[in-house]
Amino acid sequence: MEEALNLVGRVSQSSATVLILGESGTAIEFFRIALRHPNASYRVASNLVAALGLAGAHDEVGAARADLLRRKPGFTIATARDNYFFCDDEQFLARYAEGLRAAGVPE
């Protein structure tokens, strides 16, 4: 079980890296895998929502956004920016916010 927990953490981190590199489609699949873990953070769910928004996956984004809001009621784009306080890549942060906006997440 410990090994599985470590693997999920690595999948989540890898998928965030893939999203940063602009590969939304690949990141979506990794985020879905990471979200299978019962203790997956709302941050993984927000990453999935942003990736779906960036990919234009409008048919899937509603359910993903609902899951995010179940995990973190009141989640906003401002919350997401706070989550990435350590990131100084303004281009990534703008793209991430663009994906959340496209997914219907409020400012």
Side-chain angles (χ1 to χ4, degrees), residues 34-104:
L35 282 170
R36 290 181 193 163
H37 189 278
N39 294 329
S41 165
Y42 76 89
R43 289 177 173 95
V44 179
S46 70
N47 290 342
L48 174 61
V49 170
L52 288 169
L54 289 169
H58 304 292
D59 55 331
E60 301 174 64
V61 79
R65 187 181 58 243
D67 180 55
L68 168 60
L69 293 174
R70 181 186 58 77
R71 293 169 187 267
K72 181 73 171 173
F75 184 88
T76 64
I77 292 171
T79 307
R81 279 197 161 279
D82 288 346
N83 287 342
Y84 280 99
F85 68 90
F86 55 87
C87 180
D88 63 356
D89 184 344
E90 284 301 319
Q91 186 177 8
F92 165 70
L93 293 173
R95 193 170 64 249
Y96 189 81
E98 175 188 333
L100 292 173
R101 261 185 224 97

